[in-house]
């Protein structure tokens, strides 16, 4: 019976040698693609692990209490820490976040709520995409030309302005994309209750995706925390402790750039420690962002 059934199947569904050859070729291409993808992933993970291991190995040697309590040493001096650039970076990044967050969120709300068929919204999205992909050094040169060159000296405010320009498009696009995930029936229910459009945008749509918006803000902070190029043309650096935003101010990226290229061993060690601090800070922010982003969007 089995032989008869086999013959019946072969007669009913005859084997096409050409189709079988195409099928085998597709299977082979699929396997090759999977192997290449796995090798690319493995290569990326190996390089990333190598970089992180080198950073931890060289950075941990200079990690001590003095790193957070002492200012940067003078050229050729012993000891020292990174207190002044840490404080300076916190001030620059904190003020840039305070400036960019409300601007980015409000712009994102406008794009999602009012800019569906607006020419201004299309231009805003286009400019935002350009700023997202623009090299940070271009933004630094722009701020240098319109601000630093005009007042005649570097300052912390110029650095804050440059970092804000980098953070704003990240917050704008994240807010815009998050608000688009809110179901339409949620908005319609709010409108049916008589809520005005601005109130629906702020208290319904924005509240529904607040975790995603906060994630965008944290990603923007992580983006600007390690920026070096724009600060070299704006805030520059300061060897001494200073919180005067009208003058050059110390910052971790600038100190790392200076110390890493110096001939002094203790400066190089401090540069590795500063790089490790920035990496740990960005890692913590990304973990927090991932945790918040894992919250379910209402649907």
């Amino acid at each position: 019976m089995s032989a008869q059934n086999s013959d019946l199947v072969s007669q009913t569904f005859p084997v096409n040698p050409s189709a079988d050859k195409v099928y085998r070729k597709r299977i082979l291409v699929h396997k090759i693609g999977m192997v290449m993808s796995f090798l690319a992933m493995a290569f990326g993970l190996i390089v990333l692990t190598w970089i992180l291991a080198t950073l931890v190995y060289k950075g941990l040697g200079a990690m001590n209490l003095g790193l957070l309590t002492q200012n940067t040493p003078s050229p050729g001096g012993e000891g020292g820490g990174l207190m002044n650039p840490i404080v300076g970076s916190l001030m620059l990044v904190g003020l840039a976040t305070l400036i960019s967050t409300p601007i980015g969120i409000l712009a994102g709300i406008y794009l999602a709520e009012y800019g569906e068929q607006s020419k201004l919204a299309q231009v805003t999205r286009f400019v935002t995409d350009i700023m997202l992909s623009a090299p940070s050094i271009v933004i630094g040169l722009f701020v240098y030309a319109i601000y630093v060159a005009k007042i005649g000296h570097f300052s912390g405010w110029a650095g804050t302005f440059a970092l804000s320009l980098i953070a704003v498009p990240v917050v704008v696009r994240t807010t815009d994309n998050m608000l688009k995930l809110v179901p339409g029936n949620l908005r319609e229910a709010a409108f049916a209750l008589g809520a005005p459009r601005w109130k629906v945008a702020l208290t319904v749509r924005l509240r529904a995706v607040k975790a995603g918006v906060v994630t965008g803000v944290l990603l923007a902070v992580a983006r600007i925390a390690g920026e070096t190029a724009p600060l070299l043309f704006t805030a520059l650096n300061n060897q001494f402790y200073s919180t005067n935003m009208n003058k050059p101010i110390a910052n971790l990226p600038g100190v790392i750039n200076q110390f890493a290229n110096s001939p002094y061993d203790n400066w190089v060690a401090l540069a590795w420690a500063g790089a490790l601090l920035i990496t740990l800070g960005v890692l913590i922010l990304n973990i927090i962002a991932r945790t918040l982003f894992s919250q379910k969007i209402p649907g």
Side-chain angles (χ1 to χ4, degrees), residues 103-116:
I103 296 175
I105 292 177
L106 291 176
I109 292 174
Y110 168 77
L111 293 178
E113 187 68 32
Y114 298 94
E116 296 177 356

Side-chain angles (χ1 to χ4, degrees), residues 96 99-100 131-132 139-140 142-143 146 159-170 224:
I99 294 173
S100 61
M131 291 182 65
L132 278 172
I139 296 178
F142 169 74
V143 177
I146 68 169
T160 298
F161 183 36
L163 295 181
S164 300
L165 291 179
I166 298 174
V168 164
V170 179
I224 64 178

